[in-house]
Amino acid sequence: MGKWSPAQRRYAQSEKGKLARKKYQQSERGKATRRAYLERRKTRLAELKQKQTEEAKPVEKKEKSVKIKSNPTEKKS
């Protein structure tokens, strides 16, 4: 839902609107909606946390093995 109209805002802040909201939140339908929202939120936050831990893993660098070339002693004549 986008922005509320002035009439919707007035109703939501009125005593009648507050009572209607309280009645809805205590109904089975309101409770089911709230549970569904919390479940979606929980899964979304878990996915974000999983994504962050994957990004935060340090990249293991493989050390290049350095080969030392052994120069035989040169004979000077």
Side-chain angles (χ1 to χ4, degrees):
M1 186 174 170
K3 292 187 175 184
W4 288 16
S5 70
Q8 288 172 316
R9 188 171 292 121
R10 273 196 313 274
Y11 176 75
Q13 292 173 350
S14 71
E15 201 60 36
K16 187 177 178 183
K18 289 178 184 176
L19 288 173
R21 189 166 46 255
K22 184 177 180 181
K23 184 178 178 182
Y24 174 77
Q25 288 173 348
Q26 291 175 349
S27 71
E28 285 302 315
R29 184 174 174 197
K31 289 178 183 177
T33 301
R34 179 73 181 161
R35 281 193 299 269
Y37 164 74
L38 290 175
E39 190 64 33
R40 287 193 312 270
R41 181 173 179 258
K42 186 177 178 182
T43 56
R44 182 175 52 85
L45 291 175
E47 288 172 358
L48 285 174
K49 190 173 184 180
Q50 177 81 21
K51 196 174 191 180
Q52 286 177 346
T53 55
E54 288 175 0
E55 290 175 358
K57 285 183 183 177
V59 178
E60 294 180 18
K61 294 183 179 179
K62 294 183 180 178
E63 293 185 25
K64 294 181 181 178
S65 58
V66 179
K67 293 184 180 179
I68 301 174
K69 295 181 180 177
S70 58
N71 292 332
T73 56
E74 295 177 12
K75 294 183 179 178
K76 291 184 179 180
S77 19

